[in-house]
Amino acid sequence: MLTLQTKDLSPLQIQSYLNHAVAPRPICLASTIDKQGNVNLSPFSFFNLFSVNPPICVFSASRRVRDNTTKHTLENIKEVPECVINIVSYDMVQQVSLSSVEYPAGVNEFVKAGLTEQPSDLVKPPRVAESPVQLECAIKDIIALGDGPGAGNLIIAEVKVIHIKDEILNNAGTGIDQTKTDLVARLGADWYCRVNAGNLFEVAKPVRTIGIGVDSIPAAIRNSTVLTGNNLGQLGNVEALPDDEAIQEYIQRDEIKQIFDATIGDSRTRELQLHLYAKQLLEQGRVTEAWMALLAE
Protein backbone atom coordinates (compact mmCIF):
# COMPACT_ATOMS: atom_id res chain seq x y z
CA MET A 1 0.00 0.00 0.00
CA LEU A 2 1.27 3.45 -0.93
CA THR A 3 1.29 5.69 2.16
CA LEU A 4 1.80 9.43 1.78
CA GLN A 5 2.23 12.26 4.25
CA THR A 6 0.40 15.32 2.90
CA LYS A 7 3.14 17.55 4.33
CA ASP A 8 5.51 16.01 1.80
CA LEU A 9 3.25 16.65 -1.21
CA SER A 10 2.61 19.74 -3.30
CA PRO A 11 -0.95 21.12 -3.54
CA LEU A 12 -1.08 19.85 -7.13
CA GLN A 13 -0.15 16.32 -6.03
CA ILE A 14 -2.69 16.37 -3.20
CA GLN A 15 -5.34 17.60 -5.60
CA SER A 16 -4.61 14.75 -8.00
CA TYR A 17 -4.69 12.01 -5.37
CA LEU A 18 -7.81 13.27 -3.61
CA ASN A 19 -9.80 14.11 -6.74
CA HIS A 20 -9.32 10.54 -7.94
CA ALA A 21 -10.03 8.99 -4.54
CA VAL A 22 -12.90 11.10 -3.21
CA ALA A 23 -15.24 10.38 -6.08
CA PRO A 24 -17.73 10.53 -7.62
CA ARG A 25 -18.56 14.07 -6.59
CA PRO A 26 -21.83 15.78 -7.58
CA ILE A 27 -21.46 18.93 -9.66
CA CYS A 28 -22.82 22.32 -8.67
CA LEU A 29 -23.23 24.54 -11.73
CA ALA A 30 -23.45 27.87 -9.94
CA SER A 31 -24.92 30.97 -11.53
CA THR A 32 -24.10 34.26 -9.82
CA ILE A 33 -24.26 37.97 -10.57
CA ASP A 34 -22.15 40.97 -9.59
CA LYS A 35 -23.45 44.36 -8.44
CA GLN A 36 -23.19 45.69 -12.02
CA GLY A 37 -25.50 42.93 -13.24
CA ASN A 38 -22.85 40.80 -14.99
CA VAL A 39 -23.81 37.12 -14.90
CA ASN A 40 -21.30 34.33 -14.26
CA LEU A 41 -21.71 30.58 -14.59
CA SER A 42 -19.18 28.06 -13.28
CA PRO A 43 -19.12 24.38 -12.21
CA PHE A 44 -17.79 23.14 -8.86
CA SER A 45 -17.32 19.52 -7.85
CA PHE A 46 -16.49 20.25 -4.21
CA PHE A 47 -20.23 20.26 -3.51
CA ASN A 48 -22.90 18.48 -1.51
CA LEU A 49 -26.10 18.66 0.54
CA PHE A 50 -25.44 19.22 4.25
CA SER A 51 -28.81 19.88 5.90
CA VAL A 52 -32.53 19.76 5.16
CA ASN A 53 -33.80 21.84 8.08
CA PRO A 54 -32.77 24.42 7.09
CA PRO A 55 -32.03 23.14 3.57
CA ILE A 56 -28.31 23.83 3.10
CA CYS A 57 -25.95 23.08 0.22
CA VAL A 58 -22.22 23.81 0.48
CA PHE A 59 -19.76 24.20 -2.36
CA SER A 60 -16.19 25.38 -2.41
CA ALA A 61 -14.81 28.00 -4.76
CA SER A 62 -11.20 27.02 -4.13
CA ARG A 63 -8.27 29.26 -4.90
CA ARG A 64 -6.55 28.18 -8.10
CA VAL A 65 -3.63 25.85 -7.43
CA ARG A 66 -1.77 27.28 -10.41
CA ASP A 67 -1.56 30.93 -9.36
CA ASN A 68 -3.57 31.29 -6.10
CA THR A 69 -6.19 33.55 -7.70
CA THR A 70 -9.86 33.47 -6.70
CA LYS A 71 -12.80 32.75 -8.97
CA HIS A 72 -15.43 35.18 -10.23
CA THR A 73 -18.13 33.14 -8.50
CA LEU A 74 -16.62 33.91 -5.10
CA GLU A 75 -16.16 37.58 -5.94
CA ASN A 76 -19.75 37.86 -7.20
CA ILE A 77 -21.23 36.19 -4.12
CA LYS A 78 -19.40 38.62 -1.88
CA GLU A 79 -21.11 41.46 -3.79
CA VAL A 80 -24.53 39.84 -4.26
CA PRO A 81 -25.00 37.02 -1.73
CA GLU A 82 -27.25 34.84 -3.88
CA CYS A 83 -26.79 32.02 -6.36
CA VAL A 84 -28.59 29.31 -8.26
CA ILE A 85 -27.23 25.78 -7.96
CA ASN A 86 -28.07 24.03 -11.22
CA ILE A 87 -27.81 20.24 -11.12
CA VAL A 88 -25.94 18.70 -14.06
CA SER A 89 -27.32 15.94 -16.30
CA TYR A 90 -25.58 14.00 -19.05
CA ASP A 91 -27.32 15.99 -21.80
CA MET A 92 -25.51 19.16 -20.75
CA VAL A 93 -22.15 17.88 -19.46
CA GLN A 94 -20.07 19.11 -22.42
CA GLN A 95 -21.56 22.59 -22.14
CA VAL A 96 -20.92 22.56 -18.39
CA SER A 97 -17.28 21.67 -19.05
CA LEU A 98 -17.04 24.56 -21.51
CA SER A 99 -18.42 26.95 -18.88
CA SER A 100 -15.38 26.15 -16.69
CA VAL A 101 -13.05 27.97 -19.10
CA GLU A 102 -11.39 30.91 -17.35
CA TYR A 103 -12.97 33.70 -19.36
CA PRO A 104 -12.24 37.30 -18.33
CA ALA A 105 -14.46 39.04 -15.79
CA GLY A 106 -17.71 40.24 -17.30
CA VAL A 107 -17.92 37.45 -19.88
CA ASN A 108 -21.22 35.58 -19.62
CA GLU A 109 -20.55 31.80 -19.61
CA PHE A 110 -24.21 31.16 -20.44
CA VAL A 111 -23.48 32.63 -23.85
CA LYS A 112 -20.10 30.93 -24.27
CA ALA A 113 -21.49 27.51 -23.31
CA GLY A 114 -24.74 27.92 -25.25
CA LEU A 115 -26.90 27.46 -22.16
CA THR A 116 -30.21 29.25 -21.66
CA GLU A 117 -30.80 31.89 -19.00
CA GLN A 118 -34.14 31.55 -17.23
CA PRO A 119 -35.29 34.19 -14.73
CA SER A 120 -35.35 33.08 -11.11
CA ASP A 121 -38.38 33.60 -8.89
CA LEU A 122 -36.62 34.90 -5.78
CA VAL A 123 -32.94 35.61 -6.43
CA LYS A 124 -31.16 37.82 -8.94
CA PRO A 125 -28.92 35.26 -10.72
CA PRO A 126 -30.70 33.40 -13.55
CA ARG A 127 -31.28 29.67 -13.67
CA VAL A 128 -29.98 27.26 -16.31
CA ALA A 129 -33.06 26.20 -18.26
CA GLU A 130 -31.42 22.92 -19.37
CA SER A 131 -30.77 21.77 -15.80
CA PRO A 132 -33.18 19.12 -14.46
CA VAL A 133 -33.16 20.65 -10.96
CA GLN A 134 -32.46 24.29 -10.13
CA LEU A 135 -32.02 25.52 -6.55
CA GLU A 136 -32.41 29.21 -5.83
CA CYS A 137 -30.21 30.00 -2.83
CA ALA A 138 -29.40 32.76 -0.38
CA ILE A 139 -25.80 32.78 0.85
CA LYS A 140 -25.59 32.37 4.63
CA ASP A 141 -21.83 32.42 5.04
CA ILE A 142 -18.46 32.13 3.33
CA ILE A 143 -15.72 30.35 5.26
CA ALA A 144 -12.16 30.75 3.99
CA LEU A 145 -10.08 27.65 4.76
CA GLY A 146 -6.73 29.24 3.95
CA ASP A 147 -5.00 31.78 1.77
CA GLY A 148 -2.63 29.56 -0.20
CA PRO A 149 -2.99 27.80 -3.57
CA GLY A 150 -5.81 25.25 -3.49
CA ALA A 151 -7.37 26.63 -0.30
CA GLY A 152 -11.13 26.25 -0.23
CA ASN A 153 -13.78 28.87 0.39
CA LEU A 154 -16.87 27.14 1.71
CA ILE A 155 -19.98 28.84 0.37
CA ILE A 156 -22.93 27.95 2.58
CA ALA A 157 -26.10 28.34 0.55
CA GLU A 158 -29.63 28.04 1.92
CA VAL A 159 -32.08 26.67 -0.62
CA LYS A 160 -35.11 28.91 -0.92
CA VAL A 161 -36.81 27.64 -4.10
CA ILE A 162 -36.59 24.23 -5.79
CA HIS A 163 -37.43 23.87 -9.49
CA ILE A 164 -37.80 20.32 -10.87
CA LYS A 165 -38.43 19.44 -14.50
CA ASP A 166 -41.60 17.43 -15.08
CA GLU A 167 -39.80 14.73 -17.05
CA ILE A 168 -37.83 13.51 -14.02
CA LEU A 169 -40.82 13.31 -11.66
CA ASN A 170 -42.26 9.96 -10.63
CA ASN A 171 -45.57 8.79 -12.08
CA ALA A 172 -47.51 10.37 -9.23
CA GLY A 173 -45.75 13.68 -9.74
CA THR A 174 -44.85 13.79 -6.04
CA GLY A 175 -41.11 13.24 -6.14
CA ILE A 176 -38.05 12.62 -8.28
CA ASP A 177 -37.63 9.29 -10.05
CA GLN A 178 -33.92 8.59 -9.66
CA THR A 179 -33.88 6.42 -12.79
CA LYS A 180 -34.88 9.40 -14.91
CA THR A 181 -32.33 11.99 -13.73
CA ASP A 182 -29.31 10.80 -15.77
CA LEU A 183 -26.95 12.78 -13.53
CA VAL A 184 -23.21 13.05 -14.02
CA ALA A 185 -20.50 13.32 -11.39
CA ARG A 186 -16.88 14.35 -11.33
CA LEU A 187 -13.90 12.06 -10.85
CA GLY A 188 -10.16 12.75 -11.13
CA ALA A 189 -8.36 14.33 -14.11
CA ASP A 190 -10.71 14.38 -17.14
CA TRP A 191 -12.94 11.59 -15.85
CA TYR A 192 -16.69 11.81 -15.20
CA CYS A 193 -19.30 9.15 -14.50
CA ARG A 194 -22.95 8.84 -15.45
CA VAL A 195 -25.77 7.78 -13.13
CA ASN A 196 -28.62 6.21 -15.07
CA ALA A 197 -31.03 3.30 -14.78
CA GLY A 198 -28.44 0.88 -16.16
CA ASN A 199 -26.00 1.33 -13.28
CA LEU A 200 -28.30 2.06 -10.35
CA PHE A 201 -28.82 -0.43 -7.54
CA GLU A 202 -30.60 -0.37 -4.20
CA VAL A 203 -29.27 -1.23 -0.75
CA ALA A 204 -31.78 -1.81 2.04
CA LYS A 205 -31.34 0.84 4.74
CA PRO A 206 -30.17 -0.73 8.02
CA VAL A 207 -32.18 1.85 9.98
CA ARG A 208 -35.33 -0.07 9.08
CA THR A 209 -34.15 -3.05 11.13
CA ILE A 210 -31.63 -3.87 13.82
CA GLY A 211 -29.44 -6.30 11.90
CA ILE A 212 -27.81 -9.24 13.66
CA GLY A 213 -24.43 -8.13 12.33
CA VAL A 214 -21.70 -10.06 10.53
CA ASP A 215 -20.28 -11.18 13.88
CA SER A 216 -23.47 -13.19 14.53
CA ILE A 217 -23.21 -15.16 11.29
CA PRO A 218 -22.10 -18.78 11.88
CA ALA A 219 -18.36 -19.18 11.30
CA ALA A 220 -18.77 -21.66 8.43
CA ILE A 221 -20.77 -19.04 6.53
CA ARG A 222 -18.73 -16.04 7.66
CA ASN A 223 -15.52 -17.70 6.47
CA SER A 224 -17.00 -18.85 3.17
CA THR A 225 -14.68 -18.89 0.17
CA VAL A 226 -17.65 -17.99 -2.03
CA LEU A 227 -19.47 -15.21 -0.23
CA THR A 228 -18.07 -11.68 -0.46
CA GLY A 229 -18.02 -8.92 2.13
CA ASN A 230 -21.05 -7.41 0.43
CA ASN A 231 -22.86 -10.75 0.71
CA LEU A 232 -22.05 -10.95 4.42
CA GLY A 233 -23.32 -7.40 4.85
CA GLN A 234 -26.64 -8.46 3.34
CA LEU A 235 -26.85 -11.51 5.59
CA GLY A 236 -25.99 -9.44 8.66
CA ASN A 237 -28.81 -6.98 7.99
CA VAL A 238 -31.60 -9.40 8.98
CA GLU A 239 -33.27 -9.07 12.36
CA ALA A 240 -33.39 -12.81 13.00
CA LEU A 241 -32.49 -16.10 11.34
CA PRO A 242 -35.20 -18.25 9.76
CA ASP A 243 -36.66 -20.81 12.17
CA ASP A 244 -36.16 -24.56 11.81
CA GLU A 245 -39.65 -25.10 10.43
CA ALA A 246 -39.09 -22.61 7.61
CA ILE A 247 -35.71 -24.16 6.80
CA GLN A 248 -37.11 -27.71 6.70
CA GLU A 249 -39.88 -26.55 4.38
CA TYR A 250 -37.35 -24.81 2.15
CA ILE A 251 -35.21 -27.94 1.90
CA GLN A 252 -38.08 -29.64 0.07
CA ARG A 253 -37.67 -27.31 -2.92
CA ASP A 254 -36.45 -28.99 -6.09
CA GLU A 255 -33.34 -26.84 -6.43
CA ILE A 256 -32.19 -27.72 -2.89
CA LYS A 257 -33.07 -31.40 -3.33
CA GLN A 258 -30.96 -31.50 -6.47
CA ILE A 259 -27.95 -30.16 -4.56
CA PHE A 260 -28.49 -32.66 -1.75
CA ASP A 261 -28.94 -35.60 -4.12
CA ALA A 262 -25.81 -34.70 -6.11
CA THR A 263 -23.61 -34.42 -3.02
CA ILE A 264 -24.56 -37.43 -0.92
CA GLY A 265 -21.58 -38.33 1.26
CA ASP A 266 -19.61 -35.25 0.18
CA SER A 267 -20.24 -32.54 2.74
CA ARG A 268 -17.57 -30.16 1.40
CA THR A 269 -19.05 -30.09 -2.11
CA ARG A 270 -22.54 -29.74 -0.65
CA GLU A 271 -21.47 -26.70 1.36
CA LEU A 272 -19.81 -25.19 -1.70
CA GLN A 273 -22.88 -25.69 -3.89
CA LEU A 274 -25.21 -24.27 -1.25
CA HIS A 275 -22.99 -21.23 -0.86
CA LEU A 276 -22.89 -20.70 -4.62
CA TYR A 277 -26.66 -20.96 -4.80
CA ALA A 278 -27.06 -18.59 -1.83
CA LYS A 279 -24.77 -16.10 -3.54
CA GLN A 280 -27.07 -16.11 -6.60
CA LEU A 281 -30.06 -15.45 -4.34
CA LEU A 282 -28.25 -12.58 -2.61
CA GLU A 283 -27.43 -10.99 -5.95
CA GLN A 284 -31.17 -11.04 -6.67
CA GLY A 285 -31.94 -9.48 -3.27
CA ARG A 286 -33.57 -12.65 -1.95
CA VAL A 287 -31.85 -12.54 1.44
CA THR A 288 -34.26 -14.70 3.46
CA GLU A 289 -34.07 -17.49 0.89
CA ALA A 290 -30.28 -17.22 0.87
CA TRP A 291 -30.23 -17.69 4.62
CA MET A 292 -32.39 -20.81 4.36
CA ALA A 293 -30.15 -22.24 1.66
CA LEU A 294 -27.07 -21.63 3.79
CA LEU A 295 -28.65 -23.16 6.89
CA ALA A 296 -29.93 -26.17 4.95
CA GLU A 297 -26.60 -27.89 5.50
Side-chain angles (χ1 to χ4, degrees), residues 230-252:
N230 274 336
N231 295 148
L232 296 179
Q234 291 175 279
L235 294 170
N237 196 32
V238 299
E239 288 186 285
L241 301 183
D243 58 36
D244 289 340
E245 183 179 347
I247 295 169
Q248 291 306 313
E249 182 179 341
Y250 189 78
I251 289 174
Q252 303 310 310

Side-chain angles (χ1 to χ4, degrees), residues 221-222 224-229 231-232 235 275 278-279 282 294:
I221 299 172
R222 191 170 65 248
S224 171
T225 59
V226 172
L227 302 174
T228 66
N231 295 148
L232 296 179
L235 294 170
H275 284 209
K279 183 176 178 63
L282 289 168
L294 291 166

Side-chain angles (χ1 to χ4, degrees), residues 3-295:
T3 301
L4 304 166
Q5 297 286 337
T6 56
K7 64 181 177 61
D8 299 327
L9 303 175
S10 70
L12 187 61
Q13 289 174 309
I14 293 172
Q15 180 185 53
S16 178
Y17 282 119
L18 293 183
N19 280 1
H20 283 81
V22 184
R25 300 182 305 280
I27 302 169
C28 158
L29 181 59
S31 48
T32 59
I33 195 168
D34 66 16
K35 60 185 178 183
Q36 282 79 39
N38 297 307
V39 171
N40 181 267
L41 185 66
S42 186
F44 299 90
S45 71
F46 291 1
F47 160 63
N48 220 309
L49 173 68
F50 281 78
S51 171
V52 294
N53 186 22
I56 298 291
C57 286
V58 175
F59 65 98
S60 177
S62 300
R63 303 177 75 92
R64 295 182 180 92
V65 173
R66 182 187 66 256
D67 58 9
N68 199 29
T69 56
T70 57
K71 298 184 178 181
H72 300 139
T73 298
L74 179 63
E75 295 160 10
N76 287 357
I77 280 174
K78 288 180 177 179
E79 293 184 4
V80 180
E82 298 176 340
C83 73
V84 179
I85 293 174
N86 303 279
I87 304 302
V88 178
S89 67
Y90 182 76
D91 286 343
M92 56 190 290
V93 66
Q94 295 290 347
Q95 291 169 283
V96 171
S97 177
L98 182 55
S99 74
S100 70
V101 172
E102 294 177 13
Y103 295 110
V107 171
N108 186 339
E109 286 83 2
F110 274 91
V111 176
K112 289 293 186 181
L115 292 167
T116 307
E117 290 188 35
Q118 185 171 359
S120 296
D121 292 352
L122 191 65
V123 301
K124 295 182 180 66
R127 298 179 275 146
V128 176
E130 290 81 0
S131 171
V133 181
Q134 306 136 19
L135 311 175
E136 297 187 31
C137 302
I139 306 305
K140 290 181 67 72
D141 200 2
I142 301 171
I143 302 174
L145 301 180
D147 56 12
N153 291 277
L154 300 187
I155 298 169
I156 301 175
E158 181 173 354
V159 180
K160 295 294 187 179
V161 184
I162 303 172
H163 303 274
I164 306 169
K165 283 196 170 184
D166 291 337
E167 51 262 41
I168 68 168
L169 294 174
N170 59 27
N171 292 336
T174 57
I176 293 174
D177 182 339
Q178 194 71 79
T179 66
K180 298 178 180 178
T181 54
D182 203 11
L183 302 179
V184 294
R186 196 73 171 85
L187 305 171
D190 292 339
W191 291 102
Y192 289 73
C193 65
R194 183 177 183 179
V195 183
N196 57 26
N199 56 34
L200 287 172
F201 61 94
E202 293 182 294
V203 176
K205 287 184 179 293
V207 295
R208 295 173 185 158
T209 60
I210 303 298
I212 63 171
V214 171
D215 60 322
S216 296
I217 298 174
I221 299 172
R222 191 170 65 248
N223 297 324
S224 171
T225 59
V226 172
L227 302 174
T228 66
N230 274 336
N231 295 148
L232 296 179
Q234 291 175 279
L235 294 170
N237 196 32
V238 299
E239 288 186 285
L241 301 183
D243 58 36
D244 289 340
E245 183 179 347
I247 295 169
Q248 291 306 313
E249 182 179 341
Y250 189 78
I251 289 174
Q252 303 310 310
R253 294 194 177 191
D254 288 341
E255 53 269 35
I256 302 299
K257 280 186 174 182
Q258 288 174 10
I259 293 174
F260 272 54
D261 291 344
T263 58
I264 293 173
D266 187 351
S267 60
R268 292 185 65 180
T269 301
R270 175 174 294 181
E271 178 181 279
L272 176 63
Q273 292 303 314
L274 288 171
H275 284 209
L276 288 168
Y277 182 62
K279 183 176 178 63
Q280 292 177 21
L281 294 172
L282 289 168
E283 289 170 352
Q284 298 167 23
R286 297 157 65 183
V287 179
T288 301
E289 289 183 60
W291 260 117
M292 290 191 286
L294 291 166
L295 296 174

